[in-house]
Amino acid sequence: LAYITRRFDRVDAQTRLIQEDCSVLAGRSEATHGKNYKYDYSYEGIGRLLAIHCSALGPSCLEFLRRVIFSYVIGNGDAHLRNFSLLRDADGVVRLSPAYDLLCTHLHLPGESALALDLLEGEPTPSYQALGFYSATDFRELGRRVGLPMELVDREIARFRAPRVLGQCDELIRRSYLTPLAQQALIAVVTDRLRAIAQGDG
């Protein structure tokens, strides 16, 4: 089986849109920062890159927060610097590009960290230090640090805390091409992470 998708950096066969991933925007490469350059960063740092380079900052930051939370929920431990990009559209507006490389790496690497990058810079939140995992409090703090109005942050977190979400995820996973064993493993990851987000403020 193969999954084919249309390239989002092409308008047509002759017209290409300018796209830069966040490792380029951060000035990081294997030559300058070693083999771990894609992972030696934070989501808060990516938020600052958006603030510097995006002309459509508000929508890009909100979508960025959504993707970070989504990656946490599905067990995506590969949401590193190169998997977030900015795209300049045909009108010259720079915004977060459409999402790509969203997958559950936890199925293959169950011992990996919950997220590819540190969520925040500096000390973890008191909530994280007490619980030992990310909860709504941590994502709320990320939203605050990237400059989003708290009512938008709380609304976004509430989408993941809604009672219907787990049932919707279960239904989608059971319709997937994963083996029954892998489906059960992914449902367990999603269930655990949604319960984690249900804790804390937000």
Side-chain angles (χ1 to χ4, degrees):
L1 295 173
Y3 180 78
I4 300 173
T5 186
R6 185 184 302 277
R7 291 189 64 148
F8 54 72
D9 61 344
R10 301 287 190 273
V11 176
D12 51 43
Q14 288 76 39
T15 310
R16 302 176 62 172
L17 300 178
I18 297 172
Q19 177 188 350
E20 296 282 5
D21 69 53
C22 284
S23 67
V24 174
L25 296 173
R28 303 176 73 89
S29 67
E30 185 173 340
T32 60
H33 290 82
K35 291 185 180 295
N36 209 40
Y37 75 97
K38 295 185 294 186
Y39 301 94
D40 249 352
Y41 214 69
S42 70
Y43 294 109
E44 181 184 344
I46 293 179
R48 283 203 302 273
L49 293 175
L50 298 184
I52 293 169
H53 297 285
C54 280
S55 45
L57 181 58
S60 291
C61 281
L62 187 60
E63 176 61 22
F64 170 67
L65 177 67
R66 180 180 298 135
R67 287 185 206 172
V68 174
I69 300 174
F70 180 78
S71 289
Y72 179 64
V73 169
I74 67 166
N76 176 16
D78 203 44
H80 54 65
L81 267 176
R82 295 198 62 188
N83 282 337
F84 293 92
S85 290
L86 300 189
L87 191 70
R88 185 186 300 274
D89 67 22
D91 296 323
V93 177
V94 179
R95 67 182 79 239
L96 193 66
S97 77
Y100 57 93
D101 278 6
L102 293 176
L103 69 161
C104 177
T105 58
H106 188 83
L107 291 179
H108 310 285
L109 300 166
E112 70 178 0
S113 58
L115 285 166
L117 310 179
D118 290 336
L119 190 67
L120 305 170
E121 296 185 354
E123 290 294 314
T125 65
S127 173
Y128 183 87
Q129 294 181 48
L131 297 172
F133 55 80
Y134 293 128
S135 69
T137 302
D138 302 282
F139 295 106
R140 200 167 188 268
E141 180 63 14
L142 176 62
R144 185 187 71 78
R145 293 191 190 185
V146 301
L148 286 168
M150 294 315 299
E151 59 268 24
L152 292 184
V153 174
D154 290 341
R155 187 181 69 189
E156 199 59 44
I157 291 171
R159 294 176 61 186
F160 288 91
R161 300 174 88 175
R164 67 181 182 278
V165 170
L166 181 57
Q168 292 171 332
C169 291
D170 186 285
E171 180 185 351
L172 285 170
I173 292 167
R174 293 188 187 282
R175 285 165 45 196
S176 73
Y177 290 104
L178 292 170
T179 66
L181 191 62
Q183 288 181 11
Q184 285 303 119
L186 180 51
I187 289 169
V189 171
V190 170
T191 301
D192 179 65
R193 301 291 174 83
L194 288 174
R195 285 174 178 164
I197 290 176
Q199 300 190 50
D201 300 324

